[in-house]
Amino acid sequence: MAPSDPRLRLRKDDLFAYLLYTPHPGQAAVHRSRARHRVLACGTRWGKSTCAAAEALAGLMAPCEQSLGWVVGPTYDLAQRVYSSVNRLVKLRLAHRVVEEDERQHRLVLRNLSGGLSEVRAKSADRTASLLGEALDWVVVDEAARLKREVWDAHLAPRLVDRRGWSLLLSTPRGCDWFYRAWRRGQRGRDDETESWQAPTWTNPHVPEEVVEAERARLPKETFDQEFAAKFLGESTEPCDTCGGPDPEVPGIVVLDEGEELGECPECDEPVDEDGRTVVKLWPNGKPHLTRIILHPGPANQQEERAAEVSTPGAKPVDPSRLGDPWSADVAGFTESR
């Protein structure tokens, strides 16, 4: 909620110094951001839970009449990891501000910097019934990639609407899922309200280089790339919020009229038609692929010649879209326009 006195504002640097917390450069970048939605993809042992706890505590101490925030994890054990860190910081330096604590309900109420009441609760995403009904000022989601998309879309994001609340999503990547889409939204200025970071383990200066290199040598490359390099692996099958792709309803062949060109979705960078709809088809095998693009059909005699050419055994597949996907013989009847 709005500060009880609009002249009051939390200075995070001073709060963190008082808490004896010195963020490393990657954590500091997250703390400095004023984006309403922040998304952090990071490697193991990067310090995301510490970063999450510090942001949650900053949310608690922000001057206002009353506020409510949630710390959410895929399970109570994971939610408790951040909540316990918040509680530990409070007991260390801010015990005099505790108004109420309910250990059974994982709930803590503090007197914030303007004298108002601020509350934090730990929540488990595997109990969606407990995620209903309350407007939130902020939410911190740890291991967000382990949550189902509908938990965020239907149970968490709507809680932030009424109060224009902020969110911090943190996770080690788990493929190109909804968390990947949220992370992409914060890249290259796609969304003015979202900022995101990709933070490999070795950007934490407190992790010895030899530890990282030992894990690199021990683990399969894909496992290391995901767990330590914080890379999103695999193909995305989550629908883009802007263009809708990949979409099983996209036709197998799209014919472009003369002068018509494919555009690019501002969110996912995949090709779209002139109406902004995806031309990436989700095939029955669950794999997304660019549909076959036909640059406007030529005269009938050229179509017949081209059909014979692509139907010739051993003929090299052509790609009239110039987008890099092989084009096979089942498009007989159309020709590419040079």
Side-chain angles (χ1 to χ4, degrees):
M1 301 186 77
S4 52
D5 183 340
R7 295 171 298 177
L8 295 177
R9 185 174 182 178
L10 175 70
R11 294 195 299 268
K12 284 186 185 178
D13 289 347
D14 290 345
L15 173 64
F16 294 161
Y18 180 74
L19 295 172
L20 307 179
Y21 164 56
T22 304
H24 64 62
Q27 293 168 327
V30 177
H31 297 316
R32 283 195 305 269
S33 172
R34 295 188 178 182
R36 183 178 171 219
H37 302 295
R38 288 168 288 171
V39 185
L40 174 62
C42 54
T44 186
R45 295 189 63 186
W46 182 84
K48 65 179 175 60
S49 295
T50 301
C51 180
E55 276 299 312
L57 191 48
L60 275 171
M61 294 303 296
C64 62
E65 293 180 4
Q66 189 173 11
S67 71
L68 174 62
W70 285 355
V71 171
V72 181
T75 64
Y76 257 126
D77 286 345
L78 290 173
Q80 275 290 110
R81 184 169 60 183
V82 174
Y83 179 82
S84 296
S85 295
V86 172
N87 209 327
R88 186 166 53 251
L89 286 170
V90 168
K91 298 296 175 59
L92 178 66
R93 304 286 285 175
L94 298 170
H96 60 287
R97 291 187 173 271
V98 175
V99 175
E100 184 179 352
E101 181 179 6
D102 188 332
E103 294 184 3
R104 183 178 179 183
Q105 296 295 323
H106 313 285
R107 175 175 170 268
L108 183 65
V109 181
L110 298 185
R111 187 76 62 185
N112 63 47
L113 291 179
S114 66
L117 295 178
S118 295
E119 179 178 339
V120 59
R121 301 178 192 172
K123 293 282 186 174
S124 172
D126 61 6
R127 297 180 58 190
T128 54
S130 70
L131 303 177
L132 300 175
E134 294 183 287
L136 298 177
D137 295 281
W138 56 268
V139 63
V140 172
V141 184
D142 194 20
E143 296 297 350
R146 297 179 183 269
L147 271 63
K148 295 179 180 178
R149 177 175 180 150
E150 54 265 30
V151 172
W152 173 253
D153 286 348
H155 298 284
L156 295 179
R159 307 277 78 77
L160 301 170
V161 172
D162 290 350
R163 301 182 183 179
R164 290 278 301 167
W166 58 264
S167 66
L168 174 60
L169 310 180
L170 311 95
S171 190
T172 300
R174 290 289 181 272
C176 294
D177 52 5
W178 73 270
F179 177 72
Y180 167 70
R181 293 287 192 195
W183 175 83
R184 279 184 63 89
R185 200 170 298 125
Q187 295 288 296
R188 293 177 13 190
R190 289 184 175 90
D191 182 350
D192 291 340
E193 289 195 322
T194 304
E195 187 172 3
S196 63
W197 302 264
Q198 190 170 32
T201 299
W202 53 85
T203 60
N204 178 356
H206 307 299
V207 176
E209 181 180 354
E210 57 269 23
V211 171
V212 175
E213 293 308 314
E215 292 301 298
R216 190 195 302 271
R218 183 181 71 86
L219 295 171
K221 184 179 185 305
E222 285 194 358
T223 302
F224 180 85
D225 284 348
Q226 175 176 276
E227 300 297 324
F228 287 84
K231 290 183 178 180
F232 294 94
L233 304 179
E235 297 174 310
S236 176
T237 57
E238 288 286 334
C240 173
D241 293 333
T242 300
C243 71
D247 184 354
E249 299 302 318
V250 170
I253 297 175
V254 171
V255 180
L256 298 184
D257 295 330
E258 187 165 6
E260 184 181 356
E261 296 181 355
L262 292 178
E264 184 178 275
C265 175
E267 180 178 338
C268 69
D269 294 338
E270 296 291 354
V272 294
D273 63 19
E274 61 181 358
D275 297 321
R277 295 174 304 204
T278 185
V279 292
V280 178
K281 183 176 181 64
L282 185 63
W283 295 89
N285 64 2
K287 298 291 186 180
H289 292 295
L290 180 70
T291 190
R292 295 178 178 86
I293 307 297
I294 315 302
L295 301 185
H296 55 89
N301 64 326
Q302 291 184 11
Q303 293 181 29
E304 293 173 1
E305 292 173 4
R306 192 56 173 156
E309 179 181 338
V310 299
S311 300
T312 302
K316 182 180 179 181
V318 296
D319 176 20
S321 68
R322 310 299 193 270
L323 293 172
D325 282 355
W327 207 50
S328 58
D330 62 356
V331 295
F334 293 92
T335 182
E336 67 174 323
S337 177
R338 300 278 183 186

